[in-house]
Short mmCIF file of all heavy atoms in Angstrom, two decimals:
data_model
loop_
_atom_site.label_atom_id
_atom_site.label_comp_id
_atom_site.label_asym_id
_atom_site.label_seq_id
_atom_site.Cartn_x
_atom_site.Cartn_y
_atom_site.Cartn_z
N MET A 269 13.13 -0.10 2.49
CA MET A 269 12.14 -0.69 1.62
C MET A 269 10.85 -0.81 2.33
O MET A 269 10.81 -1.25 3.52
CB MET A 269 12.70 -2.16 1.30
CG MET A 269 11.74 -2.95 0.51
SD MET A 269 12.67 -3.89 -0.73
CE MET A 269 11.27 -4.56 -1.67
N PRO A 270 9.80 -0.50 1.70
CA PRO A 270 8.47 -0.55 2.23
C PRO A 270 8.11 -2.06 2.76
O PRO A 270 8.56 -2.90 2.05
CB PRO A 270 7.46 -0.14 1.13
CG PRO A 270 8.29 0.67 0.27
CD PRO A 270 9.65 0.07 0.29
N ALA A 271 7.36 -2.21 3.79
CA ALA A 271 7.03 -3.53 4.24
C ALA A 271 5.77 -4.02 3.53
O ALA A 271 5.44 -5.23 3.74
CB ALA A 271 6.74 -3.38 5.72
N PHE A 272 5.18 -3.21 2.64
CA PHE A 272 3.90 -3.64 2.06
C PHE A 272 4.07 -3.18 0.59
O PHE A 272 4.69 -2.20 0.20
CB PHE A 272 2.73 -2.98 2.65
CG PHE A 272 2.33 -3.53 4.01
CD1 PHE A 272 2.93 -2.82 5.17
CD2 PHE A 272 1.61 -4.60 4.25
CE1 PHE A 272 2.71 -3.21 6.47
CE2 PHE A 272 1.41 -5.09 5.56
CZ PHE A 272 1.91 -4.42 6.61
N THR A 273 3.46 -3.90 -0.34
CA THR A 273 3.34 -3.57 -1.74
C THR A 273 1.89 -3.74 -2.23
O THR A 273 0.94 -4.33 -1.64
CB THR A 273 4.27 -4.41 -2.55
OG1 THR A 273 4.36 -3.89 -3.81
CG2 THR A 273 3.81 -5.91 -2.57
N ILE A 274 1.58 -3.12 -3.32
CA ILE A 274 0.15 -3.20 -3.92
C ILE A 274 0.11 -4.02 -5.17
O ILE A 274 0.96 -3.74 -6.10
CB ILE A 274 -0.27 -1.77 -4.22
CG1 ILE A 274 -0.47 -0.99 -2.80
CG2 ILE A 274 -1.71 -1.85 -4.87
CD1 ILE A 274 -0.85 0.39 -2.94
N ASP A 275 -0.67 -5.05 -5.15
CA ASP A 275 -0.86 -5.85 -6.31
C ASP A 275 -1.70 -5.09 -7.42
O ASP A 275 -2.90 -4.89 -7.24
CB ASP A 275 -1.53 -7.21 -5.99
CG ASP A 275 -1.61 -8.22 -7.07
OD1 ASP A 275 -1.46 -7.75 -8.24
OD2 ASP A 275 -1.70 -9.39 -6.83
N GLN A 276 -1.04 -4.67 -8.46
CA GLN A 276 -1.70 -3.83 -9.51
C GLN A 276 -2.86 -4.63 -10.22
O GLN A 276 -3.73 -4.12 -10.70
CB GLN A 276 -0.67 -3.47 -10.51
CG GLN A 276 0.47 -2.75 -9.90
CD GLN A 276 0.19 -1.42 -9.29
OE1 GLN A 276 -0.44 -0.44 -9.90
NE2 GLN A 276 0.54 -1.28 -8.01
N SER A 277 -2.77 -5.94 -10.17
CA SER A 277 -3.72 -6.74 -10.90
C SER A 277 -5.04 -6.86 -10.09
O SER A 277 -6.15 -7.37 -10.59
CB SER A 277 -3.19 -8.13 -11.24
OG SER A 277 -3.06 -8.88 -10.14
N VAL A 278 -4.94 -6.47 -8.75
CA VAL A 278 -6.10 -6.69 -7.92
C VAL A 278 -6.63 -5.29 -7.47
O VAL A 278 -7.88 -5.16 -7.35
CB VAL A 278 -5.68 -7.45 -6.59
CG1 VAL A 278 -6.88 -7.47 -5.68
CG2 VAL A 278 -5.22 -8.82 -6.93
N CYS A 279 -5.81 -4.29 -7.39
CA CYS A 279 -6.16 -2.99 -6.94
C CYS A 279 -7.22 -2.44 -7.90
O CYS A 279 -7.11 -2.40 -9.05
CB CYS A 279 -5.00 -2.09 -6.92
SG CYS A 279 -5.30 -0.44 -6.40
N THR A 280 -8.20 -1.68 -7.27
CA THR A 280 -9.30 -0.94 -8.06
C THR A 280 -8.96 0.46 -8.06
O THR A 280 -9.83 1.24 -8.51
CB THR A 280 -10.67 -1.16 -7.42
OG1 THR A 280 -10.60 -0.73 -6.08
CG2 THR A 280 -10.95 -2.71 -7.37
N PHE A 281 -7.83 0.95 -7.47
CA PHE A 281 -7.46 2.37 -7.46
C PHE A 281 -8.52 3.22 -6.78
O PHE A 281 -8.77 4.37 -7.22
CB PHE A 281 -7.07 2.82 -8.87
CG PHE A 281 -6.12 1.87 -9.47
CD1 PHE A 281 -6.62 1.02 -10.50
CD2 PHE A 281 -4.85 1.78 -9.15
CE1 PHE A 281 -5.73 0.14 -11.12
CE2 PHE A 281 -3.98 0.81 -9.69
CZ PHE A 281 -4.44 -0.06 -10.67
N CYS A 282 -9.15 2.62 -5.62
CA CYS A 282 -10.18 3.50 -5.05
C CYS A 282 -9.53 4.66 -4.15
O CYS A 282 -10.19 5.45 -3.73
CB CYS A 282 -10.94 2.51 -4.07
SG CYS A 282 -10.03 1.93 -2.70
N ALA A 283 -8.23 4.58 -3.85
CA ALA A 283 -7.52 5.51 -3.08
C ALA A 283 -7.77 5.56 -1.61
O ALA A 283 -7.34 6.43 -0.87
CB ALA A 283 -7.69 6.87 -3.66
N GLY A 284 -8.56 4.53 -1.14
CA GLY A 284 -8.87 4.46 0.23
C GLY A 284 -7.58 4.25 1.08
O GLY A 284 -7.50 4.90 2.20
N CYS A 285 -6.76 3.41 0.66
CA CYS A 285 -5.40 3.21 1.45
C CYS A 285 -4.66 4.54 1.57
O CYS A 285 -4.07 4.80 2.55
CB CYS A 285 -4.67 2.08 0.78
SG CYS A 285 -4.24 2.56 -0.98
N SER A 286 -4.72 5.30 0.48
CA SER A 286 -4.00 6.59 0.53
C SER A 286 -4.58 7.48 1.60
O SER A 286 -3.88 8.19 2.30
CB SER A 286 -4.05 7.26 -0.81
OG SER A 286 -3.33 8.50 -0.80
N SER A 287 -5.97 7.46 1.76
CA SER A 287 -6.62 8.37 2.68
C SER A 287 -6.35 7.92 4.15
O SER A 287 -6.41 8.76 4.96
CB SER A 287 -8.08 8.55 2.42
OG SER A 287 -8.77 7.29 2.67
N VAL A 288 -6.15 6.60 4.36
CA VAL A 288 -5.87 6.22 5.66
C VAL A 288 -4.37 6.23 6.15
O VAL A 288 -4.08 6.07 7.31
CB VAL A 288 -6.40 4.75 6.03
CG1 VAL A 288 -7.93 4.74 5.79
CG2 VAL A 288 -5.78 3.70 5.18
N CYS A 289 -3.46 6.35 5.16
CA CYS A 289 -2.08 6.35 5.40
C CYS A 289 -1.59 7.59 6.09
O CYS A 289 -1.85 8.71 5.63
CB CYS A 289 -1.27 6.23 4.16
SG CYS A 289 0.50 6.26 4.37
N PRO A 290 -0.99 7.46 7.37
CA PRO A 290 -0.56 8.63 8.04
C PRO A 290 0.62 9.31 7.52
O PRO A 290 1.02 10.33 8.04
CB PRO A 290 -0.40 8.05 9.51
CG PRO A 290 0.08 6.58 9.22
CD PRO A 290 -0.74 6.19 7.99
N ARG A 291 1.30 8.73 6.55
CA ARG A 291 2.54 9.18 6.15
C ARG A 291 2.38 9.67 4.53
O ARG A 291 3.46 9.95 3.98
CB ARG A 291 3.60 8.03 6.09
CG ARG A 291 3.76 7.53 7.49
CD ARG A 291 4.98 8.37 8.21
NE ARG A 291 6.11 8.37 7.40
CZ ARG A 291 7.25 8.92 7.81
NH1 ARG A 291 7.32 9.58 8.98
NH2 ARG A 291 8.33 8.96 7.17
N GLN A 292 1.23 9.66 3.97
CA GLN A 292 1.08 9.89 2.56
C GLN A 292 2.04 9.18 1.80
O GLN A 292 2.77 9.60 0.82
CB GLN A 292 1.25 11.44 2.20
CG GLN A 292 0.15 12.24 2.72
CD GLN A 292 0.26 12.78 4.19
OE1 GLN A 292 1.35 13.28 4.64
NE2 GLN A 292 -0.69 12.67 5.01
N ALA A 293 2.18 7.81 2.15
CA ALA A 293 3.12 7.08 1.47
C ALA A 293 2.63 6.30 0.26
O ALA A 293 3.41 5.64 -0.47
CB ALA A 293 3.72 5.97 2.47
N VAL A 294 1.35 6.31 -0.02
CA VAL A 294 0.70 5.70 -1.14
C VAL A 294 0.43 6.61 -2.25
O VAL A 294 -0.19 7.63 -2.08
CB VAL A 294 -0.65 5.04 -0.80
CG1 VAL A 294 -1.19 4.21 -1.99
CG2 VAL A 294 -0.56 4.15 0.43
N MET A 295 1.12 6.39 -3.38
CA MET A 295 0.93 7.29 -4.49
C MET A 295 0.07 6.58 -5.49
O MET A 295 0.29 5.43 -5.83
CB MET A 295 2.26 7.52 -5.24
CG MET A 295 3.26 8.36 -4.38
SD MET A 295 4.66 9.15 -5.13
CE MET A 295 4.20 9.06 -6.87
N ILE A 296 -1.07 7.20 -5.94
CA ILE A 296 -1.97 6.71 -6.80
C ILE A 296 -2.16 7.53 -8.09
O ILE A 296 -2.47 8.74 -7.84
CB ILE A 296 -3.37 6.45 -6.18
CG1 ILE A 296 -3.24 5.47 -5.03
CG2 ILE A 296 -4.39 5.97 -7.13
CD1 ILE A 296 -4.36 5.14 -4.34
N ARG A 297 -1.94 7.06 -9.19
CA ARG A 297 -2.04 7.82 -10.49
C ARG A 297 -2.87 6.97 -11.49
O ARG A 297 -2.31 5.74 -11.71
CB ARG A 297 -0.76 8.14 -11.07
CG ARG A 297 0.20 8.99 -10.31
CD ARG A 297 1.51 9.18 -11.02
NE ARG A 297 2.62 8.82 -10.16
CZ ARG A 297 3.22 7.76 -10.17
NH1 ARG A 297 2.94 6.84 -11.07
NH2 ARG A 297 4.24 7.50 -9.38
N ASP A 298 -3.98 7.37 -11.92
CA ASP A 298 -4.72 6.62 -13.02
C ASP A 298 -4.79 5.14 -12.75
O ASP A 298 -5.47 4.68 -11.82
CB ASP A 298 -4.19 6.92 -14.38
CG ASP A 298 -4.22 8.36 -14.69
OD1 ASP A 298 -5.11 9.03 -14.11
OD2 ASP A 298 -3.39 8.89 -15.61
N ASP A 299 -3.88 4.40 -13.34
CA ASP A 299 -3.95 2.89 -13.14
C ASP A 299 -2.66 2.33 -12.47
O ASP A 299 -2.19 1.21 -12.82
CB ASP A 299 -4.12 2.28 -14.42
CG ASP A 299 -3.11 2.57 -15.52
OD1 ASP A 299 -2.32 3.45 -15.20
OD2 ASP A 299 -3.22 1.95 -16.59
N CYS A 300 -2.13 3.16 -11.54
CA CYS A 300 -0.95 2.71 -10.88
C CYS A 300 -1.01 3.13 -9.43
O CYS A 300 -1.28 4.31 -9.16
CB CYS A 300 0.31 3.25 -11.47
SG CYS A 300 1.87 2.92 -10.73
N ALA A 301 -0.89 2.19 -8.49
CA ALA A 301 -0.79 2.49 -7.10
C ALA A 301 0.57 1.97 -6.54
O ALA A 301 0.79 0.78 -6.73
CB ALA A 301 -2.03 1.90 -6.31
N GLU A 302 1.26 2.90 -5.76
CA GLU A 302 2.55 2.37 -5.39
C GLU A 302 2.89 2.92 -3.99
O GLU A 302 2.49 3.91 -3.61
CB GLU A 302 3.57 3.01 -6.29
CG GLU A 302 5.01 2.52 -6.06
CD GLU A 302 5.88 3.23 -7.09
OE1 GLU A 302 5.52 4.06 -7.94
OE2 GLU A 302 7.08 2.92 -7.16
N ILE A 303 3.44 1.97 -3.07
CA ILE A 303 3.88 2.38 -1.82
C ILE A 303 5.32 2.87 -1.87
O ILE A 303 6.23 2.11 -2.29
CB ILE A 303 3.70 1.27 -0.75
CG1 ILE A 303 2.23 0.98 -0.72
CG2 ILE A 303 4.26 1.60 0.57
CD1 ILE A 303 1.87 -0.21 0.24
N THR A 304 5.58 4.10 -1.36
CA THR A 304 6.90 4.69 -1.50
C THR A 304 7.78 4.34 -0.21
O THR A 304 7.33 3.77 0.71
CB THR A 304 6.75 6.19 -1.62
OG1 THR A 304 6.29 6.84 -0.40
CG2 THR A 304 5.78 6.54 -2.73
N ASP A 305 8.97 4.93 -0.29
CA ASP A 305 9.90 4.67 0.86
C ASP A 305 9.40 5.43 2.14
O ASP A 305 10.07 5.25 3.17
CB ASP A 305 11.26 5.06 0.50
CG ASP A 305 12.00 4.08 -0.48
OD1 ASP A 305 11.50 2.97 -0.54
OD2 ASP A 305 13.00 4.43 -1.14
N ALA A 306 8.47 6.25 2.02
CA ALA A 306 7.85 7.09 3.17
C ALA A 306 7.18 6.14 4.18
O ALA A 306 6.92 6.49 5.26
CB ALA A 306 7.05 8.17 2.77
N CYS A 307 6.89 4.88 3.55
CA CYS A 307 6.16 3.92 4.38
C CYS A 307 6.84 3.53 5.69
O CYS A 307 8.11 3.18 5.61
CB CYS A 307 5.89 2.64 3.56
SG CYS A 307 4.96 1.37 4.44
N THR A 308 6.10 3.44 6.86
CA THR A 308 6.76 2.86 8.01
C THR A 308 6.29 1.56 8.41
O THR A 308 6.61 1.09 9.46
CB THR A 308 6.32 3.96 9.12
OG1 THR A 308 4.88 3.90 9.34
CG2 THR A 308 6.85 5.31 9.01
N GLY A 309 5.41 1.03 7.56
CA GLY A 309 5.08 -0.36 7.72
C GLY A 309 3.89 -0.49 8.89
O GLY A 309 3.76 -1.61 9.48
N CYS A 310 3.12 0.55 9.08
CA CYS A 310 2.16 0.60 10.10
C CYS A 310 0.98 -0.41 9.93
O CYS A 310 0.37 -0.92 10.76
CB CYS A 310 1.52 1.95 10.37
SG CYS A 310 0.51 2.54 9.07
N GLY A 311 0.73 -0.73 8.60
CA GLY A 311 -0.24 -1.76 8.23
C GLY A 311 -1.54 -1.19 8.06
O GLY A 311 -2.58 -1.95 7.84
N HIS A 312 -1.93 0.16 8.21
CA HIS A 312 -3.29 0.60 8.05
C HIS A 312 -3.93 0.38 6.68
O HIS A 312 -4.98 0.01 6.50
CB HIS A 312 -3.25 2.12 8.40
CG HIS A 312 -3.10 2.49 9.75
ND1 HIS A 312 -2.71 3.78 10.15
CD2 HIS A 312 -3.02 1.73 10.93
CE1 HIS A 312 -2.64 3.81 11.55
NE2 HIS A 312 -2.75 2.46 11.97
N CYS A 313 -3.07 0.47 5.59
CA CYS A 313 -3.49 0.25 4.32
C CYS A 313 -3.91 -1.24 4.10
O CYS A 313 -4.81 -1.54 3.47
CB CYS A 313 -2.40 0.71 3.37
SG CYS A 313 -0.85 -0.18 3.43
N PHE A 314 -2.97 -1.98 4.70
CA PHE A 314 -3.23 -3.54 4.60
C PHE A 314 -4.55 -3.85 5.26
O PHE A 314 -5.37 -4.64 4.67
CB PHE A 314 -2.09 -4.20 5.33
CG PHE A 314 -2.13 -5.60 5.44
CD1 PHE A 314 -1.76 -6.47 4.35
CD2 PHE A 314 -2.53 -6.25 6.58
CE1 PHE A 314 -1.83 -7.75 4.42
CE2 PHE A 314 -2.55 -7.67 6.70
CZ PHE A 314 -2.21 -8.49 5.54
N GLN A 315 -4.90 -3.26 6.41
CA GLN A 315 -6.15 -3.52 7.03
C GLN A 315 -7.27 -2.99 6.34
O GLN A 315 -8.45 -3.44 6.41
CB GLN A 315 -6.02 -3.03 8.53
CG GLN A 315 -5.12 -3.87 9.42
CD GLN A 315 -4.84 -3.10 10.79
OE1 GLN A 315 -5.45 -2.17 11.13
NE2 GLN A 315 -3.88 -3.77 11.45
N PHE A 316 -7.08 -1.82 5.73
CA PHE A 316 -8.23 -1.14 5.05
C PHE A 316 -8.67 -1.67 3.77
O PHE A 316 -9.89 -1.77 3.45
CB PHE A 316 -7.96 0.35 4.79
CG PHE A 316 -8.93 1.02 4.15
CD1 PHE A 316 -9.94 1.61 4.68
CD2 PHE A 316 -8.86 1.17 2.71
CE1 PHE A 316 -11.06 2.23 4.04
CE2 PHE A 316 -9.82 1.77 1.95
CZ PHE A 316 -10.92 2.34 2.61
N CYS A 317 -7.74 -2.17 2.97
CA CYS A 317 -8.04 -2.47 1.56
C CYS A 317 -9.13 -3.43 1.47
O CYS A 317 -9.14 -4.59 1.84
CB CYS A 317 -6.81 -3.00 0.76
SG CYS A 317 -7.10 -3.32 -0.86
N PRO A 318 -10.29 -3.00 0.74
CA PRO A 318 -11.46 -3.91 0.60
C PRO A 318 -11.27 -5.17 -0.35
O PRO A 318 -12.12 -5.91 -0.29
CB PRO A 318 -12.52 -2.91 0.08
CG PRO A 318 -11.75 -1.82 -0.61
CD PRO A 318 -10.48 -1.75 0.11
N VAL A 319 -10.20 -4.98 -1.13
CA VAL A 319 -10.01 -6.14 -2.11
C VAL A 319 -8.71 -6.91 -1.77
O VAL A 319 -8.26 -7.70 -2.65
CB VAL A 319 -10.10 -5.68 -3.52
CG1 VAL A 319 -11.45 -5.12 -3.82
CG2 VAL A 319 -8.89 -4.58 -3.92
N SER A 320 -8.12 -6.57 -0.71
CA SER A 320 -6.81 -7.30 -0.32
C SER A 320 -5.80 -7.11 -1.29
O SER A 320 -5.06 -8.10 -1.57
CB SER A 320 -7.16 -8.79 -0.02
OG SER A 320 -8.07 -8.91 1.06
N ALA A 321 -5.64 -6.06 -1.84
CA ALA A 321 -4.59 -5.74 -2.89
C ALA A 321 -3.21 -5.47 -2.24
O ALA A 321 -2.18 -5.48 -2.92
CB ALA A 321 -4.97 -4.64 -3.86
N VAL A 322 -3.27 -5.01 -0.91
CA VAL A 322 -2.01 -4.66 -0.23
C VAL A 322 -1.49 -6.01 0.36
O VAL A 322 -2.21 -6.74 1.02
CB VAL A 322 -2.31 -3.76 0.86
CG1 VAL A 322 -1.01 -3.33 1.52
CG2 VAL A 322 -2.90 -2.47 0.36
N THR A 323 -0.22 -6.27 -0.02
CA THR A 323 0.32 -7.54 0.52
C THR A 323 1.67 -7.26 1.16
O THR A 323 2.31 -6.29 0.90
CB THR A 323 0.63 -8.53 -0.64
OG1 THR A 323 1.41 -7.86 -1.64
CG2 THR A 323 -0.68 -9.04 -1.28
N ARG A 324 1.97 -8.07 2.22
CA ARG A 324 3.17 -7.92 3.01
C ARG A 324 4.39 -8.37 2.24
O ARG A 324 4.35 -9.37 1.53
CB ARG A 324 3.04 -8.67 4.28
CG ARG A 324 3.95 -8.31 5.30
CD ARG A 324 3.72 -9.19 6.63
NE ARG A 324 2.49 -8.98 7.18
CZ ARG A 324 2.23 -8.18 8.19
NH1 ARG A 324 3.14 -7.27 8.46
NH2 ARG A 324 0.96 -7.98 8.66
N VAL A 325 5.49 -7.58 2.28
CA VAL A 325 6.65 -7.97 1.51
C VAL A 325 7.47 -8.78 2.45
O VAL A 325 7.66 -8.52 3.58
CB VAL A 325 7.49 -6.59 1.23
CG1 VAL A 325 8.74 -7.13 0.61
CG2 VAL A 325 6.73 -5.71 0.24
N GLU A 326 7.85 -9.93 1.89
CA GLU A 326 8.65 -10.89 2.67
C GLU A 326 10.08 -10.75 2.42
O GLU A 326 10.47 -10.00 1.46
CB GLU A 326 8.34 -12.40 2.28
CG GLU A 326 6.87 -12.69 2.42
CD GLU A 326 6.38 -12.83 3.84
OE1 GLU A 326 7.25 -12.89 4.69
OE2 GLU A 326 5.17 -12.78 4.04
N GLY A 327 10.96 -11.19 3.27
CA GLY A 327 12.39 -11.27 2.96
C GLY A 327 13.33 -10.22 3.84
O GLY A 327 14.48 -10.40 3.71
N ASP A 328 12.73 -9.54 4.62
CA ASP A 328 13.49 -8.58 5.49
C ASP A 328 13.62 -9.13 6.96
O ASP A 328 14.00 -8.40 7.80
CB ASP A 328 12.87 -7.14 5.60
CG ASP A 328 13.30 -6.33 4.29
OD1 ASP A 328 14.32 -6.71 3.75
OD2 ASP A 328 12.56 -5.43 4.03
N ALA A 329 13.36 -10.40 7.15
CA ALA A 329 13.46 -11.00 8.45
C ALA A 329 14.93 -10.95 8.89
O ALA A 329 15.75 -11.20 8.13
CB ALA A 329 12.86 -12.37 8.50
N PRO A 330 15.16 -10.80 10.24
CA PRO A 330 16.53 -10.76 10.76
C PRO A 330 17.09 -12.09 10.71
O PRO A 330 16.47 -13.07 10.65
CB PRO A 330 16.38 -10.29 12.10
CG PRO A 330 15.00 -10.45 12.55
CD PRO A 330 14.10 -10.39 11.25
S1 LIG B 290 -7.41 0.46 -0.81
FE1 LIG B 290 -6.84 -1.30 -2.07
S2 LIG B 290 -7.97 -1.26 -3.93
FE2 LIG B 290 -7.97 0.80 -2.89
S3 LIG B 290 -6.27 1.98 -3.92
FE3 LIG B 290 -5.52 0.94 -2.06
S4 LIG B 290 -4.66 -1.03 -2.69
FE4 LIG B 290 -6.07 -0.34 -4.32
S1 LIG B 291 1.85 0.50 5.86
FE1 LIG B 291 1.22 2.49 6.94
S2 LIG B 291 2.71 3.93 6.28
FE2 LIG B 291 2.93 2.22 4.93
S3 LIG B 291 1.77 2.74 3.19
FE3 LIG B 291 0.46 1.46 4.47
S4 LIG B 291 -0.67 3.03 5.76
FE4 LIG B 291 1.08 4.15 4.79
#
């Protein structure tokens, strides 16, 4: 499960997070942006997003 998710109501679909992702784990289509299972949780998209649409997924703590 990806460690980050994208809030569709905040995202502007600028595709910047996709361009900084080393794993091509962000899929962007028209009005939908999604982080796939290819995500390693590096956080680059989280740090990059200009509108803070990328949020950390809780619940996987040991
Ligand atoms: S950088 Fe932020 S606003 Fe841009 S596509 Fe990614 S999640 Fe959406
Ligand atoms: S956390 Fe890293 S690997 Fe996962 S989608 Fe963001 S930039 Fe890509």
Side-chain angles (χ1 to χ4, degrees):
M269 178 141 187
F272 293 92
T273 188
I274 295 173
D275 186 338
Q276 306 295 305
S277 68
V278 176
C279 179
T280 61
F281 312 105
C282 70
C285 56
S286 180
S287 68
V288 300
C289 177
R291 301 273 302 184
Q292 286 90 46
V294 185
M295 294 198 14
I296 296 182
R297 299 179 231 100
D298 298 333
D299 58 351
C300 178
E302 186 178 6
I303 294 177
T304 71
D305 286 344
C307 173
T308 59
C310 71
H312 289 170
C313 57
F314 178 77
Q315 291 170 5
F316 173 85
C317 182
V319 296
S320 301
V322 182
T323 55
R324 196 181 296 272
V325 175
E326 304 291 345
D328 276 335

